[in-house]
Amino acid sequence: MTSRRWGVSMQHRLHKLAQYIRGWMGYFRLSEYYRPIPLLDQWIRRRIRCCFLKQWRKPKTRFKNLVRLGVDNVNAAKIAASSKGYYRLSKTYAVQQALKKPGP
């Protein structure tokens, strides 16, 4: 579901992922052993950030979208010009702040 090669819209990808996780949680139910859930949540969020970066292939697009999401120009330019991979860039502080989880 979080494969970067899956050429579907992010809205469809997030909808399918939510269905899958809901079904998985319903099947296994929450037990007293809660520890793996936050780790799985962190991994899924990083994969989703990775998918967003993959969609913004060109440095110009990455820069424009990061600035639009609230990253300052210097950090957005560093990330846009970086030759590092999508998965590695998805862990940077600026990308995490731009694509952060919506608060209550």
Side-chain angles (χ1 to χ4, degrees), residues 6 8-9 19-20 26 30-31 45-46 50 56 65 71 90 95 99:
W6 194 28
V8 297
S9 71
Q19 281 181 333
Y20 183 80
L30 285 176
S31 66
R45 288 183 192 286
R46 186 170 181 187
C50 189
W56 306 334
N65 286 327
V71 177
S90 67
V95 174
L99 299 171

Side-chain angles (χ1 to χ4, degrees), residues 6 11 52 55 69 81 85 90 101:
W6 194 28
Q11 183 179 4
F52 271 109
Q55 277 188 341
L69 291 170
S90 67
K101 144 171 91 168

Side-chain angles (χ1 to χ4, degrees), residues 66-78:
L66 287 170
V67 169
R68 183 177 52 85
L69 291 170
V71 177
D72 61 292
N73 289 343
V74 174
N75 285 328
K78 285 180 185 177

